[in-house]
């Protein structure tokens, strides 16, 4: 397997967390699970294989250009054939800069990004298929994204405000932080909840839980701490609380996850 993460150019750094390139090393099909990450992303499928995702107990082939909404529960996927992907991941709040729709419309969905962004994205996809150089592909996507940054200034200020709040939430794994942020900015918790959901797709308390889960996932993956210590390092009340929430987002207990962890879920839904 080849996996490479690429930082965006300076002009897009406030909006795009990273680009990434993935290429499977065989035609072997396999099943995996993607976990909530707190972010949205777009994936261009450039190989001969395809991906499938599970919905209502049935696996459906994902579109050639995938728009991933916020994933709030474990999502089963299948890799079929030899896959090559080039994707980019937004920050939790920054996808809203590129959409007219409320981003919450895409929660727990993988939709055809060409239907959302229009024919210019189809043109970009065709050019990516014809271009061999990875850096040239990334440059094409960056030019396209820059051209989409045309929302009104009022919306820019609101999204930036939510981005600042996300920065504060990431500094703490305490429920009390959400209330203190509301008080600090002199807005009601209800209004904060509405704004946050509009521009990130999920309410602040769920984002906080996903952020805490991702932190615990990194600790489990690093194997630097015993599982008995991870719960407290990640800010959970106790071991039972940690196990319950970890299972909510992965479908597995921490011990079961550690025994069978695979890299692909981090490629598709990294922290």
């Amino acid at each position: 397997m080849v996996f490479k993460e690429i930082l965006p150019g300076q002009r897009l750094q406030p909006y795009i967390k990273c680009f990434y390139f993935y290429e499977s090393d065989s035609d072997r099909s396999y099943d995996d699970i993607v976990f909530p990450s707190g972010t949205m992303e777009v994936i261009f499928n450039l190989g001969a294989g395809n991906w499938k995702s599970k919905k209502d107990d049935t696996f459906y082939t994902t579109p050639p250009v995938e728009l991933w909404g916020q994933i709030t529960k474990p999502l089963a996927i299948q890799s079929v054939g030899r896959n090559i992907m080039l994707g980019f991941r937004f920050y939790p709040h920054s996808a809203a800069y590129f959409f007219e729709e409320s981003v919450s419309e895409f929660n727990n969905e993988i939709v055809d990004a060409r239907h959302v962004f229009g024919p210019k994205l189809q043109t970009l996809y065709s050019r990516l298929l014809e271009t061999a150089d990875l850096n040239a592909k990334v440059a094409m996507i960056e030019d396209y994204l820059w051209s989409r940054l045309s929302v009104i200034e009022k919306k820019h200020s609101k999204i930036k405000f939510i981005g600042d709040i996300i920065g504060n939430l990431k500094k703490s794994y305490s429920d009390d932080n959400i209330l203190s942020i509301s008080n600090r900015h002199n807005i009601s918790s209800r209004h904060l909840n509405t704004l946050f959901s509009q521009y990130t797709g999920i309410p602040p308390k769920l984002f906080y839980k996903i952020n805490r889960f991702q932190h615990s996932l990194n600790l489990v993956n690093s194997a630097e701490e015993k599982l008995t210590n991870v719960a407290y390092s990640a800010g959970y009340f106790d071991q039972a609380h940690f196990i319950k929430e970890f299972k909510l987002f992965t479908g597995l207990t921490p011990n079961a996850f550690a025994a069978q962890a695979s890299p692909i879920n981090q490629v598709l839904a990294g922290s």
Side-chain angles (χ1 to χ4, degrees):
M1 183 188 79
V2 176
F3 176 68
K4 181 183 296 186
E5 194 168 282
I6 305 162
L7 293 177
Q10 186 173 5
R11 64 180 178 174
L12 283 175
Q13 286 178 7
Y15 311 101
I16 303 300
K17 185 176 183 180
C18 68
F19 292 90
Y20 59 86
F21 175 79
Y22 166 85
E23 183 174 3
S24 56
D25 53 9
S26 74
D27 295 335
R28 180 179 60 87
S29 298
Y30 61 88
D31 293 355
D32 215 319
I33 300 175
V34 175
F35 308 137
S37 68
T39 60
M40 295 175 62
E41 55 197 274
V42 173
I43 301 170
F44 298 91
N45 291 302
L46 305 175
N50 57 64
W51 293 93
K52 295 185 177 183
S53 62
K54 192 174 185 180
K55 186 174 183 179
D56 300 328
D57 297 322
T58 302
F59 279 94
Y60 298 93
T61 299
T62 60
V65 188
E66 306 171 23
L67 169 62
W68 284 61
Q70 287 274 13
I71 303 300
T72 63
K73 53 190 176 183
L75 174 66
I77 61 171
Q78 291 179 341
S79 173
V80 181
R82 196 179 189 92
N83 277 297
I84 301 174
M85 304 188 310
L86 178 57
F88 59 88
R89 185 170 294 126
F90 298 104
Y91 291 104
H93 66 291
S94 63
Y97 284 109
F98 298 87
F99 295 92
E100 292 297 330
E101 303 90 344
S102 171
V103 294
S104 62
E105 294 182 21
F106 306 110
N107 284 3
N108 293 307
E109 296 287 347
I110 302 174
V111 302
D112 194 327
R114 298 169 301 177
H115 296 165
V116 178
F117 290 109
K120 288 186 178 180
L121 189 64
Q122 174 58 47
T123 300
L124 171 63
Y125 179 56
S126 298
R127 292 178 62 202
L128 292 174
L129 290 171
E130 297 167 356
T131 303
D133 183 72
L134 178 59
N135 291 329
K137 292 177 190 284
V138 171
M140 290 177 189
I141 299 173
E142 287 198 324
D143 286 342
Y144 170 79
L145 289 171
W146 187 250
S147 72
R148 281 198 64 91
L149 285 172
S150 57
V151 296
I152 59 174
E153 194 65 30
K154 184 178 180 182
K155 187 178 181 183
H156 270 267
S157 63
K158 288 183 178 179
I159 298 172
K160 184 180 183 303
F161 170 65
I162 295 301
D164 292 341
I165 289 176
I166 286 170
N168 289 327
L169 285 176
K170 284 194 169 185
K171 295 175 184 176
S172 171
Y173 300 105
S174 168
D175 273 319
D176 296 336
N177 200 28
I178 297 173
L179 180 59
S180 67
I181 288 171
S182 297
N183 293 335
R184 190 182 315 139
H185 292 281
N186 197 29
I187 60 174
S188 68
S189 297
R190 182 176 181 180
H191 185 49
L192 173 61
N193 190 78
T194 299
L195 283 176
F196 205 96
S197 297
Q198 181 179 356
Y199 294 124
T200 72
I202 54 179
K205 189 162 187 177
L206 179 55
F207 174 83
Y208 148 76
K209 287 183 177 182
I210 291 175
N211 185 51
R212 181 172 59 186
F213 156 72
Q214 279 288 331
H215 181 55
S216 73
L217 189 64
N218 289 334
L219 293 174
V220 171
N221 281 333
S222 70
E224 293 179 0
E225 290 195 59
K226 294 181 180 179
L227 290 179
T228 52
N229 297 329
V230 169
Y232 301 105
S233 298
Y236 291 96
F237 299 130
D238 53 31
Q239 188 78 357
H241 183 210
F242 166 52
I243 292 172
K244 180 180 179 181
E245 201 157 283
F246 195 94
K247 193 171 182 180
L248 174 69
F249 290 127
T250 66
L252 301 167
T253 65
N255 280 317
F257 171 82
Q260 62 183 62
S262 66
I264 189 61
N265 61 72
Q266 291 302 302
V267 172
L268 291 174
S271 61

